[in-house]
Amino acid sequence: MNTAVPVAPAASPVWFRALTWVAPLMLIVTAWVPDDGASKPLPVAGSVFLTLLGVGLGAFFAQVPRRLAYTLTDTGLRVSRFSGTFEWLYRDLRLRRMDGDLGLKVGGVGLPGYYTGNYTFTGAGYRSVQAIASNTRGGLIVERGGTPYYLTPADPDAFAQGLAARGVPVLD
């Protein structure tokens, strides 16, 4: 029986979420602003291309956070993200409850509500983690093969209990 685990809501400040939308909007707006000082104006095809690029970038920013999901299946923890879905067998996992937050992005994606890739970690025990998270705070560490993954379920306690009930050891 599959149990969908709600992901923690994004807690990014409003100004940061608004700033994320500046890039697509600037592409769309500046594509149509005339430049009287230019020796050759941008052809209409160029303006249309930049507009479509801005709309595509905006659609990407809107869809990426919606792709993040955790599901407890009969055999393992299924993790869905924008780049695909994979499943980790419960026997390969270890769970750690840690005080710490995501730090600086070393590589990956960092959008409001969607953090994946390598990040530094501010808590004791790890210098860096692989994030598959919707928030930079309040997550859990799930280890697989010695690699720590930072996940942010909406209810970390219920998520930890669900994993423990399926045989995942909870380490301190």
Side-chain angles (χ1 to χ4, degrees):
M1 180 171 152
N2 294 345
T3 305
V5 177
V7 178
S12 302
V14 173
W15 68 267
F16 185 68
R17 286 182 286 189
L19 184 63
T20 303
W21 289 97
V22 168
L25 290 174
M26 290 299 290
L27 275 172
I28 294 167
V29 170
T30 58
W32 298 99
V33 173
D35 184 6
D36 296 332
S39 59
K40 292 184 180 180
L42 187 65
V44 173
S47 295
V48 170
F49 173 75
L50 288 177
T51 300
L52 292 175
L53 183 63
V55 169
L57 192 59
F60 177 75
F61 287 172
Q63 287 300 314
V64 164
R66 292 186 182 129
R67 302 281 188 207
L68 185 63
Y70 313 129
T71 306
L72 301 176
T73 69
D74 292 336
T75 57
L77 171 61
R78 183 177 302 147
V79 179
S80 300
R81 56 186 179 174
F82 188 76
S83 61
T85 300
F86 52 88
E87 188 169 319
W88 294 325
L89 298 177
Y90 292 126
R91 69 173 181 255
D92 298 335
L93 302 180
R94 307 287 177 265
L95 178 68
R96 290 189 185 268
R97 300 288 314 243
M98 311 237 9
D99 289 329
D101 302 322
L102 287 183
L104 299 173
K105 177 177 64 171
V106 178
V109 177
L111 294 172
Y114 190 81
Y115 302 92
T116 62
N118 298 322
Y119 283 78
T120 61
F121 189 68
T122 63
Y126 300 103
R127 293 182 61 186
S128 64
V129 294
Q130 292 285 321
I132 308 173
S134 61
N135 208 330
T136 59
R137 296 184 175 172
L140 300 169
I141 300 289
V142 174
E143 288 185 5
R144 180 179 175 268
T147 302
Y149 292 89
Y150 184 83
L151 308 179
T152 53
D155 186 349
D157 293 327
F159 183 69
Q161 290 172 357
L163 287 175
R166 289 166 172 82
V168 174
V170 179
L171 309 173
D172 291 325

Short mmCIF file of all heavy atoms in Angstrom, two decimals, residues 71-98:
data_model
loop_
_atom_site.label_atom_id
_atom_site.label_comp_id
_atom_site.label_asym_id
_atom_site.label_seq_id
_atom_site.Cartn_x
_atom_site.Cartn_y
_atom_site.Cartn_z
N THR A 71 6.93 9.08 -1.19
CA THR A 71 5.88 8.07 -1.05
C THR A 71 6.47 6.84 -0.37
O THR A 71 7.51 6.33 -0.80
CB THR A 71 5.32 7.67 -2.44
OG1 THR A 71 4.91 8.84 -3.13
CG2 THR A 71 4.14 6.73 -2.29
N LEU A 72 5.80 6.37 0.67
CA LEU A 72 6.19 5.14 1.33
C LEU A 72 5.44 4.00 0.64
O LEU A 72 4.21 3.93 0.72
CB LEU A 72 5.84 5.19 2.82
CG LEU A 72 6.50 6.32 3.62
CD1 LEU A 72 6.00 6.32 5.05
CD2 LEU A 72 8.00 6.22 3.57
N THR A 73 6.18 3.14 -0.05
CA THR A 73 5.57 2.02 -0.76
C THR A 73 5.75 0.74 0.06
O THR A 73 6.32 0.76 1.15
CB THR A 73 6.20 1.84 -2.15
OG1 THR A 73 7.54 1.37 -1.99
CG2 THR A 73 6.19 3.13 -2.95
N ASP A 74 5.30 -0.37 -0.48
CA ASP A 74 5.48 -1.65 0.20
C ASP A 74 6.95 -2.06 0.27
O ASP A 74 7.36 -2.76 1.19
CB ASP A 74 4.69 -2.75 -0.51
CG ASP A 74 3.19 -2.55 -0.36
OD1 ASP A 74 2.77 -1.90 0.61
OD2 ASP A 74 2.45 -3.04 -1.23
N THR A 75 7.74 -1.63 -0.70
CA THR A 75 9.13 -2.08 -0.78
C THR A 75 10.17 -1.03 -0.44
O THR A 75 11.30 -1.36 -0.09
CB THR A 75 9.43 -2.60 -2.20
OG1 THR A 75 9.15 -1.56 -3.13
CG2 THR A 75 8.60 -3.83 -2.51
N GLY A 76 9.82 0.26 -0.57
CA GLY A 76 10.83 1.28 -0.32
C GLY A 76 10.27 2.69 -0.32
O GLY A 76 9.06 2.91 -0.48
N LEU A 77 11.16 3.62 -0.14
CA LEU A 77 10.83 5.04 -0.16
C LEU A 77 10.98 5.54 -1.60
O LEU A 77 12.07 5.52 -2.15
CB LEU A 77 11.76 5.82 0.77
CG LEU A 77 11.69 7.34 0.72
CD1 LEU A 77 10.30 7.84 1.10
CD2 LEU A 77 12.76 7.95 1.62
N ARG A 78 9.87 5.98 -2.17
CA ARG A 78 9.88 6.51 -3.54
C ARG A 78 10.00 8.03 -3.45
O ARG A 78 9.23 8.69 -2.77
CB ARG A 78 8.61 6.13 -4.28
CG ARG A 78 8.62 6.60 -5.74
CD ARG A 78 7.40 6.16 -6.49
NE ARG A 78 7.30 4.70 -6.45
CZ ARG A 78 6.15 4.04 -6.42
NH1 ARG A 78 5.00 4.67 -6.42
NH2 ARG A 78 6.13 2.72 -6.40
N VAL A 79 11.00 8.55 -4.15
CA VAL A 79 11.24 9.99 -4.18
C VAL A 79 11.07 10.48 -5.61
O VAL A 79 11.69 9.95 -6.53
CB VAL A 79 12.67 10.32 -3.67
CG1 VAL A 79 12.92 11.82 -3.71
CG2 VAL A 79 12.88 9.79 -2.26
N SER A 80 10.20 11.46 -5.77
CA SER A 80 9.96 12.05 -7.09
C SER A 80 10.49 13.48 -7.07
O SER A 80 10.27 14.21 -6.12
CB SER A 80 8.47 12.07 -7.41
OG SER A 80 7.96 10.76 -7.41
N ARG A 81 11.17 13.84 -8.13
CA ARG A 81 11.64 15.20 -8.32
C ARG A 81 11.53 15.52 -9.79
O ARG A 81 11.12 14.68 -10.59
CB ARG A 81 13.04 15.39 -7.78
CG ARG A 81 14.05 14.44 -8.35
CD ARG A 81 15.38 14.59 -7.66
NE ARG A 81 16.30 13.63 -8.24
CZ ARG A 81 17.56 13.56 -7.97
NH1 ARG A 81 18.08 14.39 -7.11
NH2 ARG A 81 18.32 12.67 -8.54
N PHE A 82 11.87 16.73 -10.17
CA PHE A 82 11.69 17.15 -11.55
C PHE A 82 12.45 16.27 -12.53
O PHE A 82 11.96 15.98 -13.61
CB PHE A 82 12.12 18.62 -11.70
CG PHE A 82 11.78 19.19 -13.04
CD1 PHE A 82 10.47 19.55 -13.35
CD2 PHE A 82 12.75 19.35 -14.02
CE1 PHE A 82 10.14 20.06 -14.59
CE2 PHE A 82 12.42 19.86 -15.26
CZ PHE A 82 11.12 20.22 -15.54
N SER A 83 13.65 15.82 -12.15
CA SER A 83 14.47 15.04 -13.06
C SER A 83 14.13 13.56 -13.09
O SER A 83 14.75 12.80 -13.83
CB SER A 83 15.95 15.23 -12.71
OG SER A 83 16.20 14.78 -11.40
N GLY A 84 13.16 13.13 -12.30
CA GLY A 84 12.76 11.73 -12.35
C GLY A 84 12.36 11.19 -10.99
O GLY A 84 12.42 11.87 -9.98
N THR A 85 11.95 9.93 -10.99
CA THR A 85 11.51 9.24 -9.78
C THR A 85 12.39 8.02 -9.57
O THR A 85 12.75 7.33 -10.52
CB THR A 85 10.04 8.81 -9.93
OG1 THR A 85 9.24 9.98 -10.12
CG2 THR A 85 9.54 8.07 -8.71
N PHE A 86 12.73 7.78 -8.32
CA PHE A 86 13.50 6.58 -7.98
C PHE A 86 12.98 6.05 -6.66
O PHE A 86 12.28 6.75 -5.92
CB PHE A 86 15.00 6.87 -7.91
CG PHE A 86 15.35 8.03 -7.03
CD1 PHE A 86 15.58 7.85 -5.68
CD2 PHE A 86 15.45 9.31 -7.55
CE1 PHE A 86 15.89 8.91 -4.86
CE2 PHE A 86 15.76 10.38 -6.74
CZ PHE A 86 15.98 10.19 -5.39
N GLU A 87 13.33 4.81 -6.36
CA GLU A 87 12.89 4.18 -5.12
C GLU A 87 14.07 3.56 -4.41
O GLU A 87 14.87 2.84 -5.02
CB GLU A 87 11.83 3.12 -5.42
CG GLU A 87 11.17 2.57 -4.18
CD GLU A 87 9.95 1.73 -4.48
OE1 GLU A 87 9.17 2.11 -5.37
OE2 GLU A 87 9.78 0.68 -3.81
N TRP A 88 14.19 3.86 -3.12
CA TRP A 88 15.21 3.28 -2.27
C TRP A 88 14.57 2.18 -1.44
O TRP A 88 13.53 2.38 -0.80
CB TRP A 88 15.79 4.31 -1.32
CG TRP A 88 16.56 5.42 -1.96
CD1 TRP A 88 17.35 5.35 -3.07
CD2 TRP A 88 16.63 6.77 -1.52
NE1 TRP A 88 17.90 6.57 -3.34
CE2 TRP A 88 17.48 7.46 -2.40
CE3 TRP A 88 16.07 7.47 -0.47
CZ2 TRP A 88 17.78 8.82 -2.26
CZ3 TRP A 88 16.36 8.81 -0.32
CH2 TRP A 88 17.21 9.47 -1.20
N LEU A 89 15.17 1.01 -1.43
CA LEU A 89 14.67 -0.10 -0.60
C LEU A 89 14.86 0.24 0.87
O LEU A 89 15.87 0.83 1.26
CB LEU A 89 15.40 -1.39 -0.94
CG LEU A 89 15.25 -1.89 -2.38
CD1 LEU A 89 16.07 -3.14 -2.60
CD2 LEU A 89 13.79 -2.13 -2.71
N TYR A 90 13.90 -0.12 1.69
CA TYR A 90 13.96 0.19 3.11
C TYR A 90 15.20 -0.41 3.77
O TYR A 90 15.78 0.19 4.66
CB TYR A 90 12.69 -0.29 3.84
CG TYR A 90 11.45 0.45 3.45
CD1 TYR A 90 10.32 -0.22 2.99
CD2 TYR A 90 11.38 1.84 3.55
CE1 TYR A 90 9.17 0.46 2.64
CE2 TYR A 90 10.24 2.53 3.19
CZ TYR A 90 9.14 1.83 2.74
OH TYR A 90 8.00 2.52 2.39
N ARG A 91 15.61 -1.60 3.33
CA ARG A 91 16.75 -2.26 3.96
C ARG A 91 18.06 -1.50 3.76
O ARG A 91 19.02 -1.72 4.48
CB ARG A 91 16.88 -3.69 3.46
CG ARG A 91 17.29 -3.79 2.01
CD ARG A 91 17.58 -5.24 1.60
NE ARG A 91 17.98 -5.30 0.24
CZ ARG A 91 17.23 -5.73 -0.76
NH1 ARG A 91 16.00 -6.16 -0.52
NH2 ARG A 91 17.69 -5.74 -1.99
N ASP A 92 18.10 -0.59 2.79
CA ASP A 92 19.31 0.19 2.51
C ASP A 92 19.34 1.53 3.23
O ASP A 92 20.30 2.28 3.08
CB ASP A 92 19.43 0.45 1.00
CG ASP A 92 19.55 -0.83 0.19
OD1 ASP A 92 20.00 -1.85 0.76
OD2 ASP A 92 19.20 -0.81 -1.00
N LEU A 93 18.30 1.85 4.00
CA LEU A 93 18.16 3.19 4.58
C LEU A 93 18.45 3.21 6.07
O LEU A 93 18.24 2.21 6.77
CB LEU A 93 16.74 3.72 4.35
CG LEU A 93 16.27 3.83 2.90
CD1 LEU A 93 14.85 4.37 2.86
CD2 LEU A 93 17.20 4.72 2.10
N ARG A 94 18.91 4.36 6.53
CA ARG A 94 19.06 4.68 7.95
C ARG A 94 18.50 6.09 8.12
O ARG A 94 18.74 6.96 7.29
CB ARG A 94 20.53 4.68 8.39
CG ARG A 94 21.31 3.43 8.06
CD ARG A 94 20.90 2.27 8.96
NE ARG A 94 21.59 1.06 8.61
CZ ARG A 94 21.12 0.12 7.79
NH1 ARG A 94 19.97 0.27 7.20
NH2 ARG A 94 21.79 -0.97 7.54
N LEU A 95 17.79 6.32 9.21
CA LEU A 95 17.18 7.63 9.46
C LEU A 95 17.87 8.29 10.63
O LEU A 95 18.13 7.65 11.65
CB LEU A 95 15.69 7.45 9.75
CG LEU A 95 14.92 8.72 10.09
CD1 LEU A 95 14.82 9.63 8.87
CD2 LEU A 95 13.53 8.37 10.59
N ARG A 96 18.15 9.57 10.50
CA ARG A 96 18.74 10.37 11.59
C ARG A 96 17.92 11.63 11.80
O ARG A 96 17.63 12.34 10.85
CB ARG A 96 20.17 10.77 11.26
CG ARG A 96 21.14 9.64 11.28
CD ARG A 96 22.57 10.16 11.17
NE ARG A 96 23.50 9.08 11.07
CZ ARG A 96 24.12 8.51 12.10
NH1 ARG A 96 23.88 8.96 13.31
NH2 ARG A 96 24.95 7.51 11.94
N ARG A 97 17.56 11.86 13.04
CA ARG A 97 16.91 13.12 13.43
C ARG A 97 18.03 14.05 13.84
O ARG A 97 18.73 13.79 14.80
CB ARG A 97 15.96 12.90 14.60
CG ARG A 97 14.83 11.92 14.35
CD ARG A 97 13.77 12.45 13.43
NE ARG A 97 13.36 13.78 13.73
CZ ARG A 97 12.15 14.14 14.10
NH1 ARG A 97 11.21 13.24 14.21
NH2 ARG A 97 11.86 15.38 14.33
N MET A 98 18.24 15.13 13.12
CA MET A 98 19.35 16.03 13.39
C MET A 98 18.88 17.47 13.48
O MET A 98 17.97 17.87 12.77
CB MET A 98 20.40 15.94 12.28
CG MET A 98 20.78 14.54 11.94
SD MET A 98 22.46 14.03 12.04
CE MET A 98 23.43 15.22 12.77
#
